[in-house]
Amino acid sequence: MTKPASIADSQHNNVQDMSLNDDFDSPLDKSLDNMDDLNYATLTEALEQTVFENFDDGLYIGMMSGTSLDGMDAVLCQFSTDRNTEQDTQQPMRLLATVSQDFPPRLREVLLALCQPNGVNQLIPTAGEPNSELDWFGWASKEYAEFASDVVNTLLQQSNTDSESVLAIGCHGQTVRHRPQMGFSLQLVDANIIAEHTGISVVSDFRRRDMAVGGQGAPLVPAFHQALFAAPDSTRVLLNLGGIANITVLPAITASKENSNEESHNEKKQVVGYDTGPANLLLDAWTALHTDKGYDAGGAWAQSGQVVEPLLNQLLEHSFFARDYPKTTGREDFNLEWIQDELQKFDQVSAHIRYSSADVQATLTELTAISASAQINMFINADENSTVYVCGGGALNDYLLTRLQAHLPRCKVETTASLGLDPTWVEAVAFSWLARQTLMGETGNLPAVTGANKGVVLGQVCFA
């Protein structure tokens, strides 16, 4: 990427030279009483005049490895400030290249173990491997970063892109513990290693700044959804079906200035986004347990079974579904052990009901469809032209999309391919956009979505 030193060599002041050259009569050497001589109202304004203005246009890489841990995606994006004046909220973006790689088996095994409290106790260390949870955390941070570096370098090689032309990498890392009720979230990644191995600056640690101002640190993608997908004439709902399902409700962006009840009108137009419940996390786990496959391709296995209605009703009693938004969830709430515990309870009170493993898969698919659609229907007006656009790995599950459409009779269900962005890459692109927001000093969270008390610049930058 363009290095800060080269930026400072332009017409703007080089802060490093100002602080190190004793012969230079720097304004920074003056007393605080004379700070007005800098002619900047705030530090942010000063930075905008030196570094951030150089990062609005250019190439960014976004990376994503979701809750389902099915692999790591990386995308190369071109952003431009050339805007359509009729749709000024759109962020022009071109997806230039993509790559996806499966996790190394041992790294995936360790990450899955770290996602569960004391889960590493089940690991059998080999020579040279850790023997405590904290040591495993450090081991996985390093291994994850080295794997991410390989993915980035593969992307650069396949797209014939020079690393110096990429402004930054947005790497979310792997969430192994998300406890918003306790005020923290842990993502595994060592950005220093990625920056060193790729020669590109890395933006990471996106969640904790939002949490510092009272937010849940998730979901973060809705701000990107708003920038890229909001439409002037219709309500759009983005449904991401990753390990966890989450929605972003994008009201029509036009607003009548003459509306007499402006406050109520604006509130109606507010973007809403939150997690609705489990998705591929449970579907993949159950499939892997009972078949020789890692996921239910197209939902064919689920479609071969029958929904066990009493079991579905029991699963829907999970306390998460009754909570008001904003809300987030993850492996802490929904995991294979949870399914097995629920089945044990079900068998105790419903011993007369017979079911197959395919029936359970059908029931889990219905759980995803009904929990997501119930939330979406709250925001759909029958008189509006509304569409639900599905992204994430679940967008490839034809049976799940069919079940969603059955529960969403008032709107169309399509994938984000209809909007010009393949559903597989939406989240990775979102983190390239979030990295760009960080380098420009722009907010990346939506307080109405995360529950934060204000918008803040997210992430920490590790310069290459």
Side-chain angles (χ1 to χ4, degrees), residues 186-208:
L186 294 178
Q187 281 72 49
L188 270 169
V189 63
D190 188 337
N192 301 278
I193 291 176
I194 301 176
E196 187 62 30
H197 289 186
T198 65
I200 304 171
S201 295
V202 180
V203 186
S204 62
D205 194 13
F206 289 94
R207 298 198 187 280
R208 291 194 294 176

Side-chain angles (χ1 to χ4, degrees), residues 8 13 27 53-54 62 68 74 76 90 127 145 153 186 227 266 283 295-296 316 368 378 384 414 417 432 435:
N13 290 330
E53 69 173 4
N54 294 274
S68 57
L76 177 66
Q90 298 285 339
N153 287 326
L186 294 178
N266 288 339
L283 299 179
Y295 63 97
D296 184 9
L316 285 168
T368 296
M378 292 168 46
E384 289 184 325
E414 302 177 358
S432 71

Side-chain angles (χ1 to χ4, degrees), residues 127-440:
E129 287 189 333
N131 55 15
S132 72
E133 187 167 52
L134 190 57
D135 288 341
W136 276 118
F137 188 98
W139 179 92
S141 295
K142 177 178 178 293
E143 293 292 322
Y144 182 100
E146 291 179 346
F147 174 57
S149 301
D150 291 340
V151 173
V152 168
N153 287 326
T154 298
L155 178 68
L156 295 173
Q157 182 179 14
Q158 291 183 358
S159 62
N160 195 27
T161 303
D162 193 315
S163 62
E164 291 189 357
S165 65
V166 180
L167 295 173
I169 299 168
C171 185
H172 164 59
Q174 184 64 46
T175 300
V176 294
R177 199 77 83 247
H178 186 63
R179 302 291 197 200
Q181 69 276 16
M182 299 176 65
F184 77 89
S185 185
L186 294 178
Q187 281 72 49
L188 270 169
V189 63
D190 188 337
N192 301 278
I193 291 176
I194 301 176
E196 187 62 30
H197 289 186
T198 65
I200 304 171
S201 295
V202 180
V203 186
S204 62
D205 194 13
F206 289 94
R207 298 198 187 280
R208 291 194 294 176
R209 183 60 190 275
D210 178 82
M211 302 183 88
V213 291
Q216 296 202 24
L220 298 179
V221 176
F224 165 73
H225 289 162
Q226 181 186 38
L228 198 69
F229 297 129
D233 57 351
S234 65
T235 296
R236 290 178 171 179
V237 178
L238 275 292
L239 171 61
N240 177 57
L241 294 174
I244 296 295
N246 52 72
I247 61 170
T248 303
V249 182
L250 300 172
I253 59 178
T254 55
S256 173
K257 298 293 185 181
E258 291 77 25
N259 192 305
S260 58
N261 189 358
E262 185 173 351
E263 182 176 351
S264 174
H265 183 65
N266 288 339
E267 182 178 352
K268 180 181 178 181
K269 294 292 182 180
Q270 197 171 58
V271 174
V272 174
Y274 55 94
D275 291 348
T276 62
N280 299 330
L281 190 158
L282 296 184
L283 299 179
D284 292 353
W286 188 254
T287 299
L289 183 65
H290 291 277
T291 74
D292 58 354
K293 301 175 181 178
Y295 63 97
D296 184 9
W301 188 41
Q303 192 168 8
S304 72
Q306 298 291 323
V307 174
V308 184
E309 293 290 344
L311 175 60
L312 174 64
N313 293 332
Q314 177 183 317
L315 298 179
L316 285 168
E317 292 176 0
H318 192 293
S319 60
F320 174 79
F321 298 118
R323 284 165 47 194
D324 293 331
Y325 67 87
K327 60 180 180 178
T328 58
T329 188
R331 282 187 184 275
E332 298 83 0
D333 294 322
F334 299 102
N335 49 61
L336 183 59
E337 290 73 19
W338 176 73
I339 301 174
Q340 293 170 326
D341 289 344
E342 290 296 320
L343 286 173
Q344 187 176 22
K345 295 175 188 176
F346 181 75
D347 291 341
Q348 290 175 351
V349 298
S350 305
H352 61 287
I353 297 179
R354 295 289 181 265
Y355 58 87
S356 67
S357 56
D359 295 336
V360 174
Q361 184 74 358
T363 304
L364 293 175
T365 303
E366 193 72 2
L367 176 67
T368 296
I370 201 168
S371 58
S373 59
Q375 299 302 306
I376 293 171
N377 278 322
M378 292 168 46
F379 300 98
I380 296 299
N381 187 327
D383 298 329
E384 289 184 325
N385 177 26
S386 302
T387 304
V388 175
Y389 295 96
V390 184
C391 58
L396 306 179
N397 188 323
D398 296 332
Y399 177 61
L400 177 53
L401 295 189
T402 299
R403 296 310 304 151
L404 282 165
Q405 184 67 82
H407 292 294
L408 295 166
R410 293 180 293 175
C411 57
K412 295 184 295 183
V413 176
E414 302 177 358
T415 75
T416 54
S418 301
L419 300 175
L421 184 55
D422 188 291
T424 305
W425 309 112
V426 172
E427 282 201 296
V429 172
F431 278 95
S432 71
W433 181 85
L434 285 167
R436 177 174 176 264
Q437 291 294 101
T438 301
L439 292 192
M440 292 195 303

